[in-house]
Amino acid sequence: FRFKDSLAEDLGRADLVISHAGAGSCLETLEIGKPLIVVINEKLMHNHQLELAKRLHRDGHVLRCNCSTLVETLQSMDLSTLKPFPPGQPEKFALFLDKVVGIQ
């Protein structure tokens, strides 16, 4: 997609999501339990997408590739090897924030 206000409906209907490795795209997809292939943009400077993709891949939550290996990844993928992404725990972040700002 070039631009959409929300991908929630599309993600909900998807059997497989292929996306760049932006944090929002990855987390939104993983939080609803959809299998995800992240395609690394190797032209980015200070490539935070690569770091995130490597970590999510190492933890078993996503498959990763680049543009030139996407077809190979699709042909050889085994989605049953992917591990569910643990649900977020916003209460932990809230407690951390309370400590930082001095609210007890």
Side-chain angles (χ1 to χ4, degrees):
F1 300 102
R2 191 173 176 101
F3 176 80
K4 280 185 107 168
D5 288 332
S6 173
L7 294 176
E9 186 179 318
D10 299 295
L11 291 173
R13 289 193 318 255
D15 294 320
L16 170 67
V17 176
I18 301 171
S19 175
H20 73 140
S25 300
C26 289
L27 294 177
E28 187 174 3
T29 302
L30 292 171
E31 285 174 350
I32 62 170
K34 298 296 180 167
L36 175 61
I37 297 175
V38 291
V39 180
I40 306 303
N41 181 349
E42 296 170 328
K43 296 179 182 176
L44 292 177
M45 292 181 65
H46 310 293
N47 198 344
H48 66 280
Q49 288 190 12
L50 178 59
E51 294 170 23
L52 178 61
K54 281 182 177 180
R55 178 60 188 253
L56 291 172
H57 182 260
R58 184 177 66 225
D59 292 349
H61 302 299
V62 304
L63 300 175
R64 72 178 175 105
C65 63
N66 56 40
C67 289
S68 63
T69 60
L70 177 58
V71 172
E72 178 185 330
T73 300
L74 288 167
Q75 291 171 335
S76 65
M77 70 182 180
D78 180 359
L79 298 178
S80 70
T81 64
L82 295 177
K83 297 176 185 174
F85 189 72
Q89 298 177 322
E91 64 280 353
K92 284 188 175 182
F93 181 69
L95 288 172
F96 167 76
L97 217 53
D98 287 349
K99 278 186 178 182
V100 169
V101 296
I103 301 171
Q104 299 296 329

